[in-house]
Amino acid sequence: CVSGTYSDAASSACTKCDGGTWSNASAAACVSCVAGKSSGSGASECSNCDAGKFSGGGAATCSSCAAGNYQSKSGQSSCKSCTQGRYSSSTGASSCQEAAPGYYCADVGMTTSYSCSSDEGGEYTSSNGASTCDKCVSSYYMNAGECVKKENGVDSSVGDTTLSTMWITQGFYRLSSTSTHVYECPYPANCVGQRYDDSYMNKSSLYMNRSSLVGDELCSKGSEGPLCTVCSPGYFMDTHHDGGAKCVECDTTKLPWSTWAMVALFVVAALAGLAAAVFKLQDARKRFRGFVRSNHDSLGRLSDTFTVAWVTMQTLVLVVQNHKDSGGEDAPNLYMDWLSNFDGIVTFEFLAIFPGTDCLYKGYIWSLMGKTLAAMAFTAICLALYYYKKRSGDKMAWRVLKKLVWVSKLLLPAISLTISRTFRCNVYDEDESTEIKVLLVDQSVDCDSSDYQLIFVYAIIMVVLFPVGVPLIWLIKLHALRERFEATGKVQGVTRETLKDATASDSDLAPHLNDKNDDHDRASSSKMVVDMEDPVLSDSPLQSLFRGIKPRYAAYYEVFDMTRRLALTCGTMVADSLAGFVLFSLSVAMLSLLAHTQLLPFDTHLMDNMNSVAHWQVLIALVVLLIRDASMFEDTEYEIVGLVLIATNLLMLCMLLIPVVPQLRAEINKVIDGGKTAMTKRRRQTMAQLSSIPGVHVSHLIKRH
């Protein structure tokens, strides 16, 4: 028999081999094909199964691999399941297909891939052949297997970002490669962000070859610390730098002329003070004091007007600063520029006005110690000078304390705010292993350090001395004069005794005699003023606290107003959130405005109106900041609001001055007339002295003159 056929013993013919078997020539029987091979009938040999197929032993045909399986080799007895990340959608596959980007195959033997966006969410994606959604889209990063939205300040132009490979953009800061928080820098020019290397072709290769920059690596040269807010030794914060505030190198040859002008002015003032102390200038001082005495009322009104303006701008500047520190938005740029004209002076930061001066002193501790010690030294000098003059028999010794009270009235909120800032710490990376706690006003100070504990104790003592102690002393001293205020009150220049002895027939006083037997009601009348000619009140150091205030309120109103100022400047530091700041400050501003409107505590319409404007300006500023925090305006609209705010404030001041121009003119004329009178008196004294000299003819001197 030929190959592919066989014959049994005693057979007279050859028979073909069945499928799945084969035979050689002269075969007595057919042999079954081994696994992985197959044959048809009458086959002389078995053929290997093609790739993508398989067979068992004695198979007439090869079977195709089922979907989800594959066989890459020929002559195989079985198929393999597609591994994770791969799939085959048809039978007879010689290989499995990788899951495309954005798809994944979680199990073996899968016939199709699953979509990451459909199954896990739109923020998830994957690479080729992924068994899981192991990547995030460009606006998310992977952290512990989950996609997290990238915070503002993280480069979102490239995907496949993990927590440790996030890139920080300019103007933002990140503490460490494990930090999940990204912070906006208060001084964007100091935060340079991740810098690209020109040698790389694109950002993707940068992510592959360079690690993420964190901490001080994100800061410009000369800056360091949390959010790059600390200037390195040899550098200072230049608030006038092009492109925004930035730490620049201390170089005396590059300091602006204004700094040198300030130094020169200070030297001249010191020399002038020294000369005055040496030569005493007694004659000039006597003439000046005579001028002041003759124009006491006029100068007092001008001083009161100046004080209201100072207090208003100080409160506005400090409220805007506190709002920013509480996490609020900046005021409109135009309004900020307007307030910057007063910042530094009203906040008692005189050296901060001039760039480069913090190369001489740096840090919050310098500011805290400098202000408080300077205030205590000034107080000690004034007290020592007062007691010295008093022992020397100087009847005007009380004027030294008067100046002390007036200065404290102007500067107490600024000093108290500096003290209260000791208690405000910022926490970064809260509840993370990288958590730090630093002082808000000076982030080089660690609030968990022993040095800070000493500062904290010192600040507590200063709180007792300044924002608590000073108003309390005022209140005690003013309360001691309470009966004096009411007993010496007068009606528009008419003394209380005249009013008490008046009868209803006195036509000029009749309107004020509501009840002759009720002296208290008459004293509290809106027409009553404190009699500054009283011997006790006229020589009181507390004049700046009660001058111009009606007798009924003179014992406490200035303390009440100082409490308002301290609440708006220092009290808001207690609020640990922006919402708390807004609620507290708006409540104080509205209640104080209501109290002032109801009391009208001053003895002239001018002062009542000016203080009303002051209250309204603070309230309007807070409302504008609240509008910004609520994102009710875009940037352009917000600047328009700032312009309108400035224009409204100026218009209110102009409208305020219109009805009082005659009064102001009269006050100015009184000052000028007083000066002329003093000069005339001095001229007559000089002529009298000359006429007493033998051989001097006064008439000849006058002609020559």
Side-chain angles (χ1 to χ4, degrees), residues 236 249-257 260:
F236 75 96
E249 190 174 4
C250 293
D251 186 353
T252 56
T253 62
K254 296 181 180 179
L255 291 180
W257 67 268
W260 294 113

Side-chain angles (χ1 to χ4, degrees), residues 360 575 599:
L360 306 176
L599 296 178

Side-chain angles (χ1 to χ4, degrees), residues 316-467:
L316 287 171
V317 168
L318 297 181
V319 164
V320 171
Q321 287 181 0
N322 287 352
H323 176 262
K324 178 65 175 177
D325 291 342
S326 297
E329 297 287 341
D330 277 326
N333 290 331
L334 291 173
Y335 195 57
M336 290 293 291
D337 292 340
W338 163 256
L339 294 180
S340 66
N341 296 319
F342 307 93
D343 194 5
I345 298 177
V346 297
T347 59
F348 200 20
E349 296 282 358
F350 301 117
L351 293 179
I353 304 173
F354 305 97
T357 50
D358 50 354
C359 286
L360 306 176
Y361 79 99
K362 183 182 298 184
Y364 167 75
I365 297 178
W366 277 93
S367 180
L368 174 65
M369 301 291 288
K371 287 183 180 181
T372 53
L373 293 178
M376 288 188 288
F378 180 73
T379 303
I381 292 173
C382 289
L383 291 175
L385 186 59
Y386 165 73
Y387 285 113
Y388 171 77
K389 288 189 173 186
K390 187 176 180 180
R391 290 179 181 178
S392 301
D394 188 348
K395 296 182 179 180
M396 295 298 173
W398 63 274
R399 290 182 178 272
V400 178
L401 297 183
K402 176 185 175 183
K403 294 176 182 177
L404 174 62
V405 173
W406 184 71
V407 171
S408 64
K409 179 180 176 180
L410 296 183
L411 299 182
L412 181 60
I415 297 174
S416 300
L417 177 60
T418 300
I419 298 170
S420 63
R421 282 175 170 168
T422 305
F423 313 113
R424 194 79 173 273
C425 291
N426 250 4
V427 178
Y428 295 109
D429 287 0
E430 188 172 6
D431 298 329
E432 296 186 16
S433 60
T434 54
E435 176 180 319
I436 61 172
K437 189 177 182 181
V438 295
L439 195 61
L440 175 64
V441 71
D442 183 358
Q443 306 206 48
S444 64
V445 178
D446 185 355
C447 290
D448 293 325
S449 65
S450 57
D451 291 340
Y452 172 75
Q453 300 304 319
L454 294 176
I455 300 173
F456 187 88
V457 173
Y458 179 81
I460 290 291
I461 298 173
M462 293 301 103
V463 166
V464 176
L465 292 179
F466 286 96

Side-chain angles (χ1 to χ4, degrees), residues 27-135:
C30 293
V31 180
S32 296
C33 293
V34 296
K37 295 187 177 186
S38 66
S39 67
S41 61
S44 59
E45 62 180 1
C46 295
S47 301
N48 287 332
C49 293
D50 295 334
K53 295 185 178 183
F54 73 99
S55 70
T61 58
C62 293
S63 302
S64 296
C65 293
N69 297 273
Y70 77 101
Q71 182 51 261
S72 58
K73 298 179 180 180
S74 60
Q76 300 299 309
S77 61
S78 62
C79 292
K80 300 178 181 179
S81 297
C82 292
T83 58
Q84 291 178 322
R86 294 172 176 268
Y87 71 96
S88 65
S89 57
S90 59
T91 60
S94 59
S95 63
C96 293
Q97 189 175 356
E98 285 186 337
Y103 291 82
Y104 72 102
C105 294
D107 301 321
V108 297
M110 293 190 63
T111 61
T112 186
S113 59
Y114 298 147
S115 170
C116 288
S117 59
S118 298
D119 294 351
E120 302 293 337
E123 63 272 22
Y124 287 87
T125 186
S126 65
S127 55
N128 281 327
S131 60
T132 60
C133 296
D134 57 350
K135 294 184 179 181

Side-chain angles (χ1 to χ4, degrees), residues 490-516 522 525 527-528:
K490 62 181 182 179
V491 179
Q492 295 180 331
V494 181
T495 63
R496 168 176 289 281
E497 295 302 323
T498 303
L499 182 64
K500 186 181 293 185
D501 296 336
T503 64
S505 61
D506 294 327
S507 58
D508 293 335
L509 301 179
H512 310 300
L513 298 175
N514 299 325
D515 184 352
K516 184 177 178 180
R522 289 199 296 274
S525 170
K527 300 293 183 180
M528 296 299 296

